[in-house]
Amino acid sequence: MSLEMLSVHCCFGGTQGYYRHQSNETGTSMRFAVFTPPQAAAGNCPALYFLAGLTCTEENFAVKAGAQRRASELGLVLVMPDTSPRGTELPGEHDSYDFGSGAGFYVDATEAPWSVNYRMYSYVSRELPALVAEEFPVDEERVGIFGHSMGGHGALVVALRNPGRYRSVSAFAPIAAPMHCPWGEKAFSGYLGGDRTSWRRWDSCALIEDGQRLPALLVDQGMEDNFLQDQLKLERLETACVAAGIPLTLRRHAGYDHSYFFIASYVADHLDWHAARL
């Protein structure tokens, strides 16, 4: 795979880079960001993938979360993909913030016209890791994944559908049961069609109910999050994990909302969580 470096910046003894390549899965040019810690000069390091939420790009977490300082101390490579294909100009692609551009929902679409390009699940779970392993100093045996909101949903689904691949999983305010919330119902209807039984493969709670398992899971949630009740449905995730015997650490934080200020407040805890398992 041909990789183009767009820019690279010294950061806490390592580098923060932005890259572009032509994706076979999406049929488009895709951008992603990678933080490489100073320890990589001596050998391969654990890799931690962050999946961002609605409207985000590969830049949001890299610029706003403040994760590089702790990742540098822990020797973690951070990989941050974009949230959807870009440049397809499909009808209606840019009409709303919660479907189409910036809202790939980390599924492989089956409905026209989305099915040709909107293959973000296969992109983040297969194509991008293969490219990262080829081009960056990462240890493929020590990989974790986490995300925020739509990306929290994506991290859970990717980990559940690939048992044993990810040693560590966590999420900030994930869309825990997209089959049962307006964001998920809109996205799944458009990308996957009207057969709700097919949606279960893309819903973390349904996957757990259907027998898929995770290692220990950390979830942080702000209690002033405007989306908590209608969109996130964390009570369903809590119930599913208890029934399945999945160790869940669900931390509720008074006063915090859905923003990157919340993520920045607890990102060091998540990096420590992953480092302990990687």
Side-chain angles (χ1 to χ4, degrees), residues 161-178:
R161 292 185 54 164
N162 295 274
R165 181 186 300 178
Y166 300 93
R167 289 193 184 184
S168 56
V169 187
S170 72
F172 295 95
I175 303 173

Side-chain angles (χ1 to χ4, degrees), residues 11-276:
C11 187
F12 294 108
T15 57
Q16 177 63 60
Y18 295 93
Y19 306 90
R20 178 167 56 201
H21 73 110
Q22 186 65 29
S23 167
N24 292 325
E25 289 292 349
T26 69
T28 66
S29 177
M30 294 294 293
R31 294 168 61 117
F32 65 99
V34 176
F35 172 74
T36 304
Q39 293 88 338
N44 290 348
C45 294
L48 182 55
Y49 285 75
F50 180 85
L51 306 186
L54 291 166
T55 75
C56 291
T57 71
E58 74 285 352
E59 292 189 355
N60 292 75
F61 185 79
V63 173
K64 296 181 178 180
Q68 291 92 341
R69 180 192 294 272
R70 191 70 180 129
S72 176
E73 295 168 352
L74 295 169
L76 294 174
V77 173
L78 301 177
V79 184
M80 297 150 274
D82 201 352
T83 55
S84 77
R86 307 286 176 172
T88 64
E89 304 305 325
L90 296 172
E93 186 177 26
H94 310 305
D95 288 355
S96 61
Y97 78 95
D98 55 357
F99 185 82
S101 182
F105 259 84
Y106 303 102
V107 302
D108 285 347
T110 56
E111 293 294 298
W114 312 100
S115 57
V116 174
N117 307 112
Y118 276 69
R119 297 183 50 80
M120 288 302 295
Y121 168 78
S122 289
Y123 176 72
V124 301
S125 67
R126 291 199 293 267
E127 185 176 21
L128 181 60
L131 176 62
V132 168
E134 181 179 319
E135 298 286 348
F136 297 90
V138 300
D139 183 344
E140 294 183 83
E141 299 300 316
R142 294 186 292 163
V143 180
I145 191 166
F146 68 147
H148 171 232
S149 192
M150 178 185 72
H153 141 75
L156 294 175
V157 167
V158 168
L160 283 162
R161 292 185 54 164
N162 295 274
R165 181 186 300 178
Y166 300 93
R167 289 193 184 184
S168 56
V169 187
S170 72
F172 295 95
I175 303 173
M179 289 179 62
H180 302 283
C181 76
W183 278 340
E185 289 180 341
K186 178 178 180 178
F188 286 6
S189 295
Y191 295 137
L192 306 173
D195 179 8
R196 294 181 67 94
T197 60
S198 70
W199 297 5
R200 296 186 66 84
R201 300 173 61 238
W202 308 104
D203 182 295
S204 58
C205 293
L207 286 166
I208 293 170
E209 291 167 0
D210 292 344
Q212 297 300 102
R213 295 294 179 261
L214 289 170
L217 174 62
L218 171 64
V219 174
D220 276 312
Q221 176 62 55
M223 298 311 293
E224 296 302 316
D225 189 326
N226 291 336
F227 305 114
L228 177 57
Q229 297 304 320
D230 292 339
Q231 302 284 11
L232 305 184
K233 307 295 182 182
L234 287 182
E235 69 282 354
R236 286 182 173 268
L237 178 62
E238 193 169 23
T239 299
C241 286
V242 169
I246 296 173
L248 170 64
T249 302
L250 175 54
R251 308 193 304 181
R252 296 175 170 90
H253 304 280
Y256 285 89
D257 58 20
H258 200 70
S259 71
Y260 268 84
F261 296 111
F262 166 56
I263 295 174
S265 299
Y266 294 102
V267 70
D269 290 353
H270 282 248
L271 297 184
D272 289 346
W273 168 275
H274 289 275

